[in-house]
Amino acid sequence: MTRFIERHPAWALIVLIAVAVLLWLILAVWPPGLEEAFGRKRVFLNAVFNGITLGGLYFLVASGFTLIFGLMRNVNLAHGSLYLFGGYIGYAISAWTGSWILGFVIAFLGVALVGIVLQIVVFRRMEGQDLRQTMVTIGLSIVFADLMLWAFGGDFYQIQTPSWLVGPIELPLVTAVRSSGEAVYLRYPMVRLVIFVAAVVIGIAMWLALNRTRVGMMVRAGVDDRDMLAATGVPIQLVFVAVFALGAGLAGIAGVVGGTFQSISPGEDTRFLLASLVVVIVGGMGSIPGAALGAVIIGLAEQLGSVYIPTYAIVVTFLIMVLVLALRPQGLLARR
Amino acid sequence: MSLVQGTHPQTSQPAKARAILLAWPEFNKPAVWLVAVILLIMPFIANGFFLIEIFATTMILGTIALSLMFLAGYGGMVSLMQLTVAGFAAYMVAVFGMSANTNISLGWPWWLATPMALLLATAFGTLGGALAVRTEGIYTIMITLAIGAAFYYFTNQNWAIFGGHTGINTVATPKFWGVDWRSDIPFYYVTLGVAAFCYFAVQYVSRAPFGLALQGVRDNPRRMAALGFNVNAHRVAAYAFAAFIAALGGVLQVWNYRQISPGSVSVGACIDILIIAVVGGISRPVGPYIGAFIFVILRTFALDLLVKFGLDGNRFRLLIGLGFLAIVFWSSDGVIGLWERWRRRAAATDARPSGGKPHG
């Protein structure tokens, strides 16, 4: 952080000002002039919160994608299918048992299992062949999409939010002041906040596991020189299978989250594959903090865009990607 | 190829013909002439359905896939946005030309609207390419896929220019010299002509200095840069050329269906183009057309076929996906690669009739 400020003082200043303006917009009571020009504060706050929590969901999908790519150089364009599959499993389990949490567990395990099979059957045979991996996973995603369409039909499924998470909670953020001087506070769906916090916890845990533990060290060493690591007696294929299972399982969890926030239907697989592509392009391939930053930026851009410039919302996301590619082709937080 | 011409400055007439044959080895094979003749007399053999639904569609999809083949085969850049460029051209034809949606269409005559569409689509493809060449390999795939998806979602949302979810309908097609060029037989010849033009253009460019430099860039960019070639400029130029070809395909497509909507530029359709090119083979320009033919045949008849075998007819995409998987698993060069491997094996067994398995 300090190195970044030293190297790019101008950029650091711009970022600082942007963050300060955003914080002021969130915390302060808006003066009437601003409300007239910009719309009501409640709308803005809702868009910001939706953007950040959507960012949490994007992070869950993209972190698995970037973990598999960054650490093992495996290009898995079937990642969106894993997301959708997780969503369907989560729906089936929670509708059958009535337990939302169990849906997460089974979705994680089930999708992780698919990931392990993929790693052993597909990726291990084509190590280092980027293009073939891409083609094969594209083919797989077509097959998966059709199999899921076969099994679940073209319907929209929504996963039921458990009763203890239903309903909004009041946040200590003032949206407006009534004429009587009484402050109106923001009400926001609890389930979204809880899931967002869970995504943050998962992200921090993952970063710590990779950077502060022996297993994480092995994984990173294996990426750089797998022969040497294997020679030191580490069961490297086992480590890689574990990482793949984790990455795939995260996509499965994200599927359940997505099914709770929004809905699960055919076509969501490509949508989330693309979201994770854009997120990791913006954030930087193979970097967990990059995925987090990219996810929040894209989530915010999407939600604020769809509120304030609905026709061009997608262009904003795209422009961010273009801008990042033009200024920093490797992504904002990539190490390269 | 060019050496032959260079060493004989004063070539006589037969030698010149020989040089042309050496530069275009295709003309030396009887099979090629046979295919050309069959394609030319096709309207006398096939009925309207086959002419348009099978052959014209094959030509159009093949031309769009050809632009991907040019980038991937000669430039080593797999671009998933070629259909997007084609779709952009199609949209531009509808926007500048005449259609039922008078709020959007500017009502230009076709001979003005079409060049405009080609120009803008080429510019669009070149810009996208300029973005994509900042990255390499798998990143290129991801970025071009993201561009394609962004365009799809944009057309879906934007009602002012792109007509939103319903798209633009009843696009006018050219009529001049007393011919309605969209009626079956003239349109077939138009698509055949464009496809042949694109095929030979790609073939020619691949042997021209630019194409050779591009192949050098594909094989060893660092070395080409050291030799003084501007690597990125070559790559962007390749994108521009491919964009023009894709745009031609897009114009034909909008004339064929007389309408354009977001569904025709969806991500699935972008991936279909990749499937077509890979299944046919991306080492030679003929590959995309073979791939497109297989794809169109499957798409048209898979339903009947599946039902005949007592299966669900809707599983067409499953069939395509499994076929695609099989091809990429076993042959890196699609149908052409399989065919060549088979011929080599046949040749090897012919050469040694005493038996024994060929080596390698």
Side-chain angles (χ1 to χ4, degrees):
Chain A
M1 189 65 104
T2 45
R3 268 203 15 232
F4 178 78
I5 295 172
E6 271 166 29
R7 263 204 232 149
H8 311 278
W11 278 111
L13 194 68
I14 292 173
V15 170
L16 201 70
I17 291 174
V19 169
V21 168
L22 194 68
L23 277 180
W24 181 80
L25 282 173
I26 292 173
L27 294 177
V29 177
W30 286 15
L34 191 62
E35 291 231 331
E36 266 164 37
F38 211 58
R40 301 174 61 187
K41 191 188 173 190
R42 191 169 54 81
V43 177
F44 170 77
L45 270 188
N46 260 320
V48 167
F49 272 77
N50 280 343
I52 291 176
T53 46
L54 183 68
L57 173 57
Y58 282 169
F59 171 74
L60 284 179
V61 194
S63 61
F65 184 78
T66 204
L67 195 68
I68 290 171
F69 181 84
L71 293 178
M72 299 186 289
R73 301 273 140 203
N74 281 345
V75 189
N76 182 15
L77 290 191
H79 199 71
S81 311
L82 297 178
Y83 164 88
L84 190 59
F85 186 53
Y88 280 130
I89 295 182
Y91 172 78
I93 295 295
S94 65
W96 183 46
T97 63
S99 165
W100 189 59
I101 298 285
L102 198 65
F104 276 98
V105 175
I106 307 277
F108 181 85
L109 294 177
V111 179
L113 202 67
V114 176
I116 291 172
V117 173
L118 271 183
Q119 214 271 329
I120 292 173
V121 176
V122 177
F123 289 107
R124 196 171 288 179
R125 291 189 187 188
M126 340 187 149
E127 255 163 35
Q129 298 166 282
D130 278 2
L131 211 61
R132 259 186 98 198
Q133 288 180 358
T134 314
M135 304 281 184
V136 168
T137 48
I138 285 179
L140 281 175
S141 68
I142 295 169
V143 170
F144 285 161
D146 206 61
L147 286 177
M148 284 190 280
L149 184 68
W150 197 356
F152 293 94
D155 300 336
F156 286 79
Y157 293 104
Q158 173 125 34
I159 298 172
Q160 199 87 61
T161 314
S163 53
W164 48 279
L165 282 177
V166 167
I169 55 167
E170 210 157 76
L171 292 174
L173 289 170
V174 182
T175 57
V177 181
R178 290 213 182 100
S179 49
S180 59
E182 189 186 351
V184 182
Y185 291 98
L186 178 74
R187 293 163 68 82
Y188 196 76
M190 174 126 104
V191 58
R192 278 189 165 244
L193 292 176
V194 170
I195 286 175
F196 176 71
V197 171
V200 171
V201 170
I202 289 176
I204 291 173
M206 213 151 63
W207 189 84
L208 285 178
L210 278 176
N211 287 286
R212 296 280 182 273
T213 64
R214 266 186 73 81
V215 177
M217 208 164 68
M218 282 178 202
V219 173
R220 283 180 296 138
V223 172
D224 289 336
D225 191 341
R226 73 180 58 184
D227 293 341
M228 191 50 85
L229 189 69
T232 59
V234 173
I236 183 156
Q237 290 297 355
L238 203 69
V239 174
F240 277 15
V241 164
V243 173
F244 210 105
L246 177 65
L250 279 172
I253 287 186
V256 185
V257 172
T260 313
F261 275 15
Q262 302 164 349
S263 60
I264 285 289
S265 65
E268 291 290 285
D269 48 351
T270 23
R271 203 190 124 206
F272 274 86
L273 173 67
L274 291 162
S276 44
L277 281 183
V278 174
V279 163
V280 295
I281 287 172
V282 169
M285 277 289 174
S287 149
I288 298 288
L293 181 67
V296 170
I297 290 177
I298 296 301
L300 274 177
E302 228 171 71
Q303 290 296 323
L304 286 174
S306 65
V307 169
Y308 291 105
I309 35 170
T311 325
Y312 297 96
I314 191 75
V315 181
V316 175
T317 319
F318 181 65
L319 276 182
I320 290 174
M321 194 183 89
V322 171
L323 205 68
V324 168
L325 276 174
L327 296 174
R328 230 180 118 77
Q330 71 271 38
L332 291 176
L333 293 185
R335 274 172 303 172
R336 188 164 16 150
Chain B
M1 291 157 266
S2 54
L3 267 182
V4 177
Q5 287 162 332
T7 45
H8 302 286
Q10 292 105 21
T11 41
S12 57
Q13 211 55 29
K16 212 180 232 168
R18 219 176 103 75
I20 291 173
L21 276 183
L22 280 172
W24 296 90
E26 295 79 27
F27 291 141
N28 223 350
K29 292 181 194 155
V32 174
W33 288 101
L34 191 68
V35 171
V37 168
I38 290 178
L39 284 175
L40 278 176
I41 61 167
M42 189 61 78
F44 305 104
I45 308 170
N47 61 16
F49 170 79
F50 272 88
L51 217 51
I52 296 301
E53 293 296 322
I54 305 288
F55 290 104
T57 313
T58 297
M59 297 295 173
I60 294 169
L61 287 178
T63 302
I64 300 173
L66 177 71
S67 76
L68 169 57
M69 176 270 140
F70 177 76
L71 285 174
Y74 297 127
M77 303 170 284
V78 179
S79 155
L80 286 181
M81 64 169 190
Q82 293 315 112
L83 181 88
T84 307
V85 175
F88 188 83
Y91 264 115
M92 288 303 114
V93 167
V95 167
F96 287 104
M98 276 176 263
S99 79
N101 200 331
T102 44
N103 289 335
I104 294 174
S105 295
L106 299 177
W108 295 9
W110 71 271
W111 48 266
L112 211 57
T114 309
M116 191 69 191
L118 290 175
L119 191 74
L120 286 176
T122 308
F124 174 73
T126 313
L127 274 179
L131 205 62
V133 297
R134 297 183 63 86
T135 57
E136 279 191 346
I138 173 64
Y139 295 93
T140 307
I141 297 181
M142 295 186 187
I143 282 161
T144 49
L145 187 62
I147 292 175
F151 185 70
Y152 164 67
Y153 288 116
F154 184 52
T155 54
N156 221 347
Q157 275 178 356
N158 186 301
W159 291 83
I161 313 169
F162 293 101
H165 189 68
T166 50
I168 303 172
N169 296 308
T170 333
V171 177
T173 52
K175 286 186 185 109
F176 57 97
W177 297 338
V179 181
D180 175 7
W181 290 92
R182 178 53 192 81
S183 58
D184 288 355
I185 293 176
F187 188 67
Y188 170 77
Y189 281 116
V190 169
T191 57
L192 184 63
V194 171
F197 167 76
C198 292
Y199 175 85
F200 287 115
V202 166
Q203 198 79 281
Y204 175 80
V205 167
S206 74
R207 288 162 194 169
F210 166 70
L212 295 176
L214 187 67
Q215 289 167 58
V217 167
R218 170 196 65 193
D219 294 335
N220 195 339
R222 198 172 278 192
R223 184 162 177 189
M224 292 303 278
L227 286 172
F229 287 89
N230 187 338
V231 168
N232 268 0
H234 274 77
R235 286 181 173 155
V236 174
Y239 268 101
F241 179 66
F244 181 72
I245 290 177
L248 281 174
V251 170
L252 290 181
Q253 198 169 31
V254 73
W255 283 347
N256 187 16
Y257 297 122
R258 292 201 184 94
Q259 61 100 27
I260 178 83
S261 66
S264 29
V265 293
S266 67
V267 178
C270 287
I271 288 174
D272 283 346
I273 295 295
L274 177 75
I275 291 178
I276 287 171
V278 169
V279 165
I282 52 170
S283 64
R284 279 205 247 135
V286 73
Y289 291 102
I290 297 174
F293 188 61
I294 296 173
F295 182 83
V296 171
I297 290 278
L298 262 184
R299 190 174 64 180
T300 318
F301 297 112
L303 201 144
D304 299 335
L305 194 77
L306 285 173
V307 171
K308 198 170 270 178
F309 282 110
L311 294 164
D312 186 354
N314 292 327
R315 298 279 77 82
F316 147 74
R317 291 205 66 83
L318 192 64
L319 203 67
I320 294 256
L322 287 175
F324 178 68
L325 264 184
I327 293 262
V328 280
F329 251 112
W330 281 297
S331 166
S332 53
D333 197 17
V335 175
I336 296 185
L338 286 178
W339 162 250
E340 267 171 6
R341 210 184 300 166
W342 179 77
R343 264 190 33 183
R344 221 176 298 135
R345 196 170 298 168
T349 39
D350 278 356
R352 282 179 301 162
S354 51
K357 280 197 170 173
H359 295 285

